[in-house]
Amino acid sequence: MKVRKFAAIDIGSNAIRLLIQNVLEEGKQEPKFRKSALIRIPVRLGEDAFTKGKISDYHTERMVKTMKAFKLLMEVHGVEKYMACATSAMREASNGSEIIERIHQESGIRIVIIDGKQEATIIASTDLKELIERDRAYLYIDVGGGSTEFTVFTRGKIRVSKSFKIGTVRLLNEMVADATWEQLEDWIAQHTVDLSPISIIGSGGNINKLHKMSGRKEGEPLSYIWLNAQYRFLESMSYEDRLLELGLNPDRADVIIPAARIYLSAAKWSGAKKIHVPKIGLSDGMIKTLYHFGDGWLNKTQ
């Protein structure tokens, strides 16, 4: 057996993550991907990008230090290859390219800014296909700070995919217009009207946390009824009580509410009654894409 190490750096609107995975190769068998380490740094780039149009000096410095630390961590872990991708916050920041160049100069890490379509393509390369039953329909939702990716699966294949500028950080800053919600509702209704029953597959830190809070076993889905009740419960609490009584992290205690709202809205418009939470997302897809396509991964997502 050969053990190789790959890494993914996901630069989101709410946090920056480093995922390191062991890839186990044995003969002609399918490679097995196993998490080795996950580091999450709460650098909320979206607060700058969506409200000011650029990343502040403060967050730029934090980002540069984070990348330097990630480079050292990858070295001590013995990472063979890595992929670093930035999403909506860096896409919209006027100084995004400038920051990426500085990071490359100071840390050696090369970052690629990807669009919503590329995000959806990378996410689709995860283990989702192993979870999807061919005779059922699914609406996959990856909630981020700046945008949310929606993918409809039917008969085991992708029917359609789209990214909407509805994210937790945008919602906290009241930067999502009613028209955008209406566009999302129309899109979901249009592409799921003939799919019944349909279930939701959710990914991202917020839905993972909600699943943990529910006390359900791994693999057991959340119900729409439970999620709606939990949303009302969280909304009734103050931010401080969510920290003290529920033990939520400061950068989770606020975004978890708009995240739940996105899932509930999508469930209502699609008619879904269950939300599966497999705990996979963009970082997992990045590593699989890198493993299978190497340095040519970017061409496969365009």
Side-chain angles (χ1 to χ4, degrees):
M1 178 184 290
K2 184 178 181 181
V3 180
R4 302 171 66 186
K5 291 205 173 188
F6 289 76
I9 298 173
D10 173 11
I11 302 167
S13 302
N14 192 45
I16 303 174
R17 302 170 187 81
L18 168 65
L19 173 65
I20 298 174
Q21 287 191 345
N22 295 322
V23 182
L24 312 180
E25 298 176 332
E26 187 172 15
K28 295 182 179 180
Q29 296 182 27
E30 282 291 312
K32 293 180 173 60
F33 295 80
R34 299 286 185 267
K35 183 173 76 173
S36 176
L38 175 63
I39 300 93
R40 179 180 182 276
I41 309 296
V43 182
R44 191 166 285 182
L45 300 176
E47 283 188 345
D48 289 340
F50 306 144
T51 61
K52 303 170 188 174
K54 64 181 294 187
I55 306 299
S56 66
D57 291 342
Y58 171 71
H59 279 132
T60 296
E61 293 300 325
R62 294 186 69 205
M63 195 176 172
V64 171
K65 289 177 181 177
T66 298
M67 291 301 113
K68 288 179 178 179
F70 283 1
K71 181 68 181 295
L72 290 172
L73 284 168
M74 289 192 292
E75 287 179 4
V76 297
H77 273 274
V79 168
E80 175 184 331
K81 287 185 178 181
Y82 73 89
M83 181 195 298
C85 293
T87 54
S88 57
M90 292 295 283
R91 280 199 298 266
E92 296 185 28
S94 61
N95 58 343
S97 298
E98 175 187 324
I99 294 171
I100 284 175
E101 179 58 29
R102 179 183 166 188
I103 287 171
H104 180 234
Q105 292 296 327
E106 296 191 27
S107 72
I109 291 179
R110 292 185 179 275
I111 299 168
V112 176
I113 297 177
I114 57 174
D115 59 28
K117 182 180 178 182
Q118 289 172 314
E119 267 193 80
T121 301
I122 292 171
I123 289 168
S125 69
T126 62
D127 292 333
L128 276 179
K129 293 176 182 177
E130 298 176 13
L131 304 168
I132 290 172
E133 299 176 27
R134 291 188 61 84
D135 59 344
R136 295 188 64 85
Y138 300 88
L139 175 60
Y140 177 83
I141 305 173
D142 182 52
V143 174
S147 63
T148 298
E149 275 57 58
F150 296 85
T151 303
V152 177
F153 286 88
T154 179
R155 297 180 181 177
K157 296 181 179 180
I158 295 175
R159 169 186 279 197
V160 65
S161 185
K162 190 172 176 64
S163 177
F164 286 85
K165 287 186 177 181
I166 298 178
T168 57
V169 178
R170 283 193 205 274
L171 286 167
L172 282 177
N173 288 280
E174 300 181 350
M175 297 185 68
V176 179
D178 290 343
T180 306
W181 281 108
E182 291 167 5
Q183 289 169 10
L184 174 59
E185 180 179 1
D186 291 343
W187 187 88
I188 290 176
Q190 176 187 348
H191 295 291
T192 63
V193 65
D194 60 330
L195 302 177
S196 183
I198 188 170
S199 298
I200 285 174
I201 298 176
S203 76
N206 290 297
I207 197 67
N208 290 346
K209 188 63 179 179
L210 285 162
H211 190 273
K212 186 176 181 179
M213 292 168 69
S214 75
R216 285 165 169 75
K217 297 178 181 178
E218 186 174 344
E220 186 179 354
L222 299 175
S223 68
Y224 174 87
I225 293 173
W226 180 88
L227 185 58
N228 187 51
Q230 186 71 1
Y231 171 69
R232 303 298 177 191
F233 170 67
L234 289 168
E235 200 176 35
S236 71
M237 300 179 75
S238 68
Y239 174 77
E240 289 75 15
D241 284 344
R242 278 177 248 136
L243 293 176
L244 296 171
E245 295 184 23
L246 301 182
L248 294 175
N249 290 330
D251 65 306
R252 180 71 67 204
D254 53 358
V255 294
I256 197 168
I257 293 176
R261 180 185 172 191
I262 293 171
Y263 285 109
L264 287 169
S265 298
K268 178 181 177 182
W269 297 330
S270 64
K273 298 292 189 291
K274 292 182 179 179
I275 300 100
H276 299 272
V277 188
K279 297 184 180 178
I280 55 176
L282 181 63
S283 297
D284 302 88
M286 287 165 66
I287 288 178
K288 284 187 171 58
T289 300
L290 181 63
Y291 176 80
H292 290 296
F293 301 113
D295 294 334
W297 70 267
L298 191 58
N299 296 327
K300 298 295 180 180
T301 63
Q302 291 177 334

